[in-house]
Amino acid sequence: MQGFKSFLLRRFLAALVATALLIGLLAAAALAPMPFVDAEALVNQFEEMLPRLTETPVMIFLNNLAASLLMMIPVLGMALAGLIVYNTGAVIGAFSAVSNVPVALLLLIPFITVYGFIEMLAYGFAVSQGFFLTTSAFKKQLRKEVRSLPYTVAVVVLLLLAGAVLEWILIRLGSALMT
């Protein structure tokens, strides 16, 4: 039993470290300078996709699940996670530039409303699983690590479901308040 507790603690701590790194990357990307023309183009492109992506909690969930599953791919997943999170941060920075809303406020809103932390924690679990798969492959112990994969996927799915429902509710409330 002690070994199992140690295993769970190691997984949770790895997920927290990965989450912190992803949040740092998100902030760095949001704070990176971007020409106004590029910011406008990025916002326009995102606003075209947004209604389809946020139509239902299922759409939000599926979009985030696809990203999470990519993040679990050994070796490549960590790079894909960086790219996905960096691009999300760039969108936040672009919205800040176009709307004159401070980037810090746009970065904080998803975390203050909790759904952003839930999603980033799910991504942290996904990235750490990709890391564990990668290291176990180099140690020639991949079969052992693959056994823990369904549990990590289950945690990621549960977190993303909760985050998607909360995000969708907040989007609907925000839309109702603006009309």
Side-chain angles (χ1 to χ4, degrees), residues 4-175:
F4 183 68
K5 285 183 183 178
S6 173
F7 171 81
L8 289 178
L9 180 62
R10 197 170 52 252
R11 293 302 172 122
F12 185 70
L13 291 176
L16 286 179
V17 167
T19 300
L21 290 171
L22 292 171
I23 291 170
L25 181 60
L26 179 78
L31 294 166
M34 180 184 301
F36 187 78
V37 177
D38 294 345
E40 274 186 319
L42 190 53
V43 166
N44 290 336
Q45 181 183 11
F46 185 75
E47 284 180 338
E48 281 181 24
M49 294 179 348
L50 192 60
R52 187 173 20 100
L53 291 175
T54 61
E55 187 176 343
T56 66
V58 173
M59 294 302 293
I60 296 169
F61 168 74
L62 290 175
N63 182 58
N64 293 338
L65 181 63
S68 293
L69 293 175
L70 289 172
M71 293 175 188
M72 291 185 200
I73 299 170
V75 182
L76 184 61
M78 291 176 272
L80 290 172
L83 182 64
I84 290 165
V85 170
Y86 187 88
N87 285 335
T88 302
V91 169
I92 292 170
F95 268 98
S96 173
V98 170
S99 66
N100 283 326
V101 174
V103 71
L105 178 61
L106 293 179
L107 277 168
L108 284 176
I109 289 171
F111 295 98
I112 292 170
T113 56
V114 182
Y115 81 87
F117 181 72
I118 293 171
E119 288 178 3
M120 292 303 272
L121 184 58
Y123 295 156
F125 272 101
V127 168
S128 63
Q129 181 62 56
F131 173 78
F132 286 123
L133 286 168
T134 300
T135 57
S136 69
F138 283 114
K139 294 178 184 177
K140 298 191 185 334
Q141 297 174 340
L142 188 59
R143 180 173 290 171
K144 180 180 172 186
E145 183 58 40
V146 167
R147 283 184 274 186
S148 68
L149 184 61
Y151 300 107
T152 303
V153 171
V155 168
V156 168
V157 164
L158 291 173
L159 287 169
L160 291 177
L161 278 172
V165 169
L166 183 55
E167 183 177 0
W168 183 79
I169 289 169
L170 291 168
I171 289 168
R172 293 296 165 244
L173 286 173
S175 295

